Amino acid sequence: NMLMKYVMQVAYTLTLLLHIFIILPLVDGRAFVKAHGNVHLKAFVACQLLYLLVSALQIRTGYREGSQYQTLFMKLGTGPVAYYAFMIYQSVPFLFELRTLLDWVMSESSLDLLMWFRFENLYHMLWKDLLYQEARRQNKEIYSGRDKFPLVFKMLQGFTIFSGIILLLLAPIFLFSSINPVLSPNRVTSANLNVELRVRVNSSLAVYNIYQAQAQSVEMSGEDIDASERYLMTSPLTQKFDAECLLFPRHSSVSWVLPAGPRGALATNLVTHAKWLNTTRQLTSTSTSESQAELVFTTAFTRSGPPTAKTVTMEVNSPLTSSQALEMGTMIADISDQKAEVAVERALPRLLNLPPRDQVIKLSKTAPDPNPSDDATTILSLERLDDSLMIWGLRTKQITLAGVKKGFCGMVDYTEEGSQGVLYATMSDRFLSGVVEQLGLDSYSMLALYAFIFVAIGGVVRRFFQFKIEDVMIYEIPNPDYLLRLCRGLRMLRAHRYPGCRRDEIKLFHTLIQMLRSPDILIKVTRNKDV
């Protein structure tokens, strides 16, 4: 309808001019909406003017009579260019559906939506078959059996599809592998160690924060990394990682302030707990009283990413034995100017892997004693600063990988009287950043990606190559000219308004369906042109 197109052209032109040159400069003060000096807005206006020019020429000349049955891609002939252009048109998502819906809404037709889509699908399938049969006729030496199918086309089709499937299967492995250039460095930016003493007597629980400090980063040398992988890992990490040592100070960053009364009660509870453990060990029946004392080591590591797991926490609970509880209780009760110490066997790990999710993995390896990868023995010390202030100290009995790598992380002067405390050797996995990170993918999304590939993409590929009955009934028709003439006639009826045109449209539609339902008629009207 040219009149309707003319009205829409005028309305669109006025709306465009009003919005760009009046409304936008008034309501938005940003520079990019102003025409002066704005390249993007100028380009947008130029594209719109080109569209309006082409549309105005179409209004002036009108539609070519007799061409209403053709879509844009049907006007390119039946050669190879037309075939591949039509394939591209059909592969664009929603393009066919949107165009067909608009045609049905704007047409004065008696066909309902389902009948309309069936006809449009049949028309496109028959046109595709015409292009395919024309390609066969142009290569009749091959399809008649005279020549073999060219190796070049086999490589372009078969080998390309095969390579694409293999690449699709290997893409997630490459995406999460160490050779992926998208992996971003992920060093530990800060680490905090907090030690709590928890004492429970019956239903009463008391928690004492005795040590807290922040670590200093010490870079690993190549020999340190090799020693860590050789002695503390059963297999090398599959990803790139950032290795570093985190060294905590010997003494807590805050002093321990506890008055004499509560300090004496704590010492008494520890001694009572030690006696309760000895008594419970000697009795054959379970004691009715409840007593518990343990040290809780909490270490928080903060890294650059991923966003969902920037900070990971490791918590180690170490229950006190009777001897340790007795020594600690005695040390707290009889504190003097001399330093007192308590050793907690195998309390803290040595080498840690920080994966891109919220967890910390302890790396170890089975080896004969002494095993360098065993958890380190931790020594707690308590020193008096003045009458009311005390400070706790924390160190390991031996430095990480002691006896295997001399001077690990530069700790050649590690002594009992030095300032160095606990040392962690950390290997933080690098993470996916940029667009991959925005998509919410991390190193543990590989299973989800493979599930999507096998279920969704694999289903599409299988349906494309799977045999379907319409492949024989439609796509193997040697001469679809007669059926295409019916489709073109039905389409041309939409452009003519004469009495009974909609009745003829319904008749042609049912005639087309009846011919496709009857094998005998279909064979007669679609026989080869040479017959």
Side-chain angles (χ1 to χ4, degrees):
N1 192 328
M2 278 300 170
L3 179 61
M4 181 62 67
K5 184 173 180 61
Y6 174 75
V7 173
M8 294 178 62
Q9 176 90 350
V10 174
Y12 182 78
T13 304
L14 293 177
T15 303
L16 185 67
L17 295 175
L18 182 67
H19 186 73
I20 292 178
F21 297 106
I22 297 178
I23 297 178
L24 279 181
L26 289 177
V27 301
D28 200 325
R30 292 178 294 176
F32 74 90
V33 300
K34 299 186 178 183
H36 178 68
N38 193 324
V39 179
H40 302 89
L41 188 57
K42 289 180 179 179
F44 173 75
V45 174
C47 293
Q48 293 297 317
L49 291 177
L50 180 62
Y51 162 75
L52 293 174
L53 176 62
V54 175
S55 182
L57 289 175
Q58 189 180 53
I59 294 175
R60 180 182 178 182
T61 59
Y63 294 112
R64 180 183 176 186
E65 190 65 28
S67 64
Q68 293 89 343
Y69 64 87
Q70 290 180 323
T71 62
L72 175 62
F73 293 94
M74 292 181 180
K75 299 179 180 180
L76 301 177
T78 57
V81 176
Y83 177 79
Y84 289 109
F86 190 74
M87 295 298 102
I88 294 174
Y89 158 70
Q90 281 200 316
S91 63
V92 176
F94 307 116
L95 182 58
F96 168 76
E97 289 78 9
L98 291 175
R99 175 192 161 278
T100 305
L101 285 171
L102 288 178
D103 285 349
W104 181 71
V105 171
M106 300 302 296
S107 298
E108 296 180 357
S109 174
S110 296
L111 300 178
D112 60 20
L113 182 61
L114 184 60
M115 297 167 68
W116 190 281
F117 263 95
R118 283 178 178 172
F119 166 72
E120 290 293 332
N121 275 290
L122 283 173
Y123 188 27
H124 282 73
M125 292 168 68
L126 290 171
W127 182 259
K128 182 179 178 180
D129 175 64
L130 176 66
L131 296 176
Y132 188 61
Q133 296 300 327
E134 187 64 27
R136 286 186 176 182
R137 292 188 188 98
Q138 293 178 1
N139 298 275
K140 58 183 179 180
E141 293 83 4
I142 299 175
Y143 292 100
S144 63
R146 175 182 173 183
D147 297 335
K148 62 181 180 181
F149 200 84
L151 181 62
V152 175
F153 290 100
K154 284 187 176 182
M155 297 297 292
L156 289 176
Q157 296 179 4
F159 185 74
T160 301
I161 297 174
F162 178 83
S163 301
I165 295 176
I166 295 299
L167 181 62
L168 189 65
L169 294 176
L170 297 179
I173 299 177
F174 169 77
L175 183 64
F176 298 118
S177 69
S178 59
I179 61 175
N180 187 355
V182 186
L183 292 178
S184 297
N186 200 21
R187 296 180 65 89
V188 177
T189 56
S190 64
N192 297 280
L193 175 59
N194 186 68
V195 182
E196 292 179 347
L197 174 60
R198 299 179 183 179
V199 180
R200 178 189 297 274
V201 178
N202 294 326
S203 60
S204 177
L205 174 64
V207 179
Y208 304 90
N209 192 350
I210 61 177
Y211 177 91
Q212 57 181 352
Q214 188 170 3
Q216 175 188 2
S217 177
V218 179
E219 186 177 358
M220 275 193 188
S221 64
E223 294 181 356
D224 295 335
I225 297 177
D226 293 340
S228 301
E229 292 181 348
R230 184 167 61 255
Y231 288 96
L232 298 182
M233 299 170 59
T234 56
S235 61
L237 293 178
T238 57
Q239 290 195 34
K240 283 186 176 179
F241 55 87
D242 293 300
E244 59 186 321
C245 289
L246 301 175
L247 179 62
F248 291 90
R250 175 71 59 90
H251 296 97
S252 174
S253 59
V254 295
S255 57
W256 192 50
V257 180
L258 193 64
R263 189 170 71 247
L266 171 59
T268 302
N269 290 336
L270 289 172
V271 173
T272 303
H273 174 69
K275 294 179 180 179
W276 177 83
L277 287 177
N278 291 327
T279 303
T280 305
R281 189 181 301 113
Q282 295 174 1
L283 295 177
T284 56
S285 62
T286 304
S287 177
T288 57
S289 62
E290 182 181 354
S291 179
Q292 181 182 356
E294 64 177 353
L295 290 170
V296 180
F297 301 86
T298 305
T299 311
F301 305 92
T302 302
R303 305 167 295 169
S304 302
T308 56
K310 286 188 176 181
T311 301
V312 291
T313 304
M314 176 187 66
E315 185 174 291
V316 178
N317 295 342
S318 180
L320 295 179
T321 63
S322 59
S323 59
Q324 292 169 351
L326 183 60
E327 291 177 5
M328 185 167 287
T330 305
M331 179 175 63
I332 294 174
D334 302 330
I335 186 170
S336 62
D337 295 336
Q338 300 296 325
K339 179 175 63 175
E341 296 180 340
V342 175
V344 182
E345 298 291 335
R346 298 186 176 182
L348 295 177
R350 300 174 183 269
L351 181 67
L352 302 174
N353 174 223
L354 309 179
R357 61 178 176 180
D358 190 13
Q359 70 171 10
V360 179
I361 300 177
K362 183 185 74 171
L363 300 175
S364 61
K365 181 178 180 180
T366 303
D369 291 332
N371 187 352
S373 66
D374 283 342
D375 292 345
T377 298
T378 304
I379 299 177
L380 281 166
S381 61
L382 182 60
E383 302 177 33
R384 179 185 293 276
L385 299 179
D386 54 34
D387 293 338
S388 59
L389 295 179
M390 294 163 286
I391 191 169
W392 285 90
L394 184 66
R395 65 178 178 87
T396 53
K397 190 174 182 181
Q398 288 182 325
I399 199 65
T400 301
L401 291 181
V404 173
K405 169 67 171 60
K406 185 176 182 181
F408 186 79
C409 280
M411 299 293 105
V412 292
D413 56 346
Y414 188 81
T415 61
E416 295 184 1
E417 303 299 330
S419 60
Q420 297 92 352
V422 175
L423 179 70
Y424 286 136
T426 62
M427 293 185 174
S428 179
D429 289 354
R430 295 186 177 183
F431 70 104
L432 300 172
S433 61
V435 177
V436 182
E437 178 186 344
Q438 298 301 323
L439 292 176
L441 300 177
D442 54 32
S443 297
Y444 294 90
S445 301
M446 186 182 294
L447 294 179
L449 277 179
Y450 270 114
F452 174 77
I453 289 173
F454 279 100
V455 175
I457 302 180
V460 172
V461 174
R462 173 59 63 85
R463 287 191 295 271
F464 180 79
F465 290 103
Q466 195 174 24
F467 173 79
K468 297 179 285 290
I469 191 64
E470 60 265 24
D471 291 343
V472 176
M473 298 181 62
I474 302 295
Y475 294 138
E476 293 296 334
I477 293 178
N479 182 21
D481 290 348
Y482 187 84
L483 298 176
L484 283 172
R485 284 199 295 270
L486 278 178
C487 295
R488 291 166 182 167
L490 198 152
R491 266 180 166 266
M492 290 184 67
L493 282 175
R494 303 171 185 172
H496 299 280
R497 298 181 179 179
Y498 62 88
C501 62
R502 287 189 293 272
R503 185 168 55 251
D504 293 341
E505 179 188 26
I506 292 292
K507 287 182 179 179
L508 281 178
F509 175 78
H510 287 295
T511 301
L512 178 63
I513 297 299
Q514 184 67 28
M515 294 177 65
L516 292 174
R517 291 178 57 193
S518 174
D520 294 335
I521 298 177
L522 190 62
I523 291 175
K524 290 180 180 180
V525 301
T526 61
R527 64 181 58 184
N528 201 305
K529 293 181 179 180
D530 298 333
V531 178

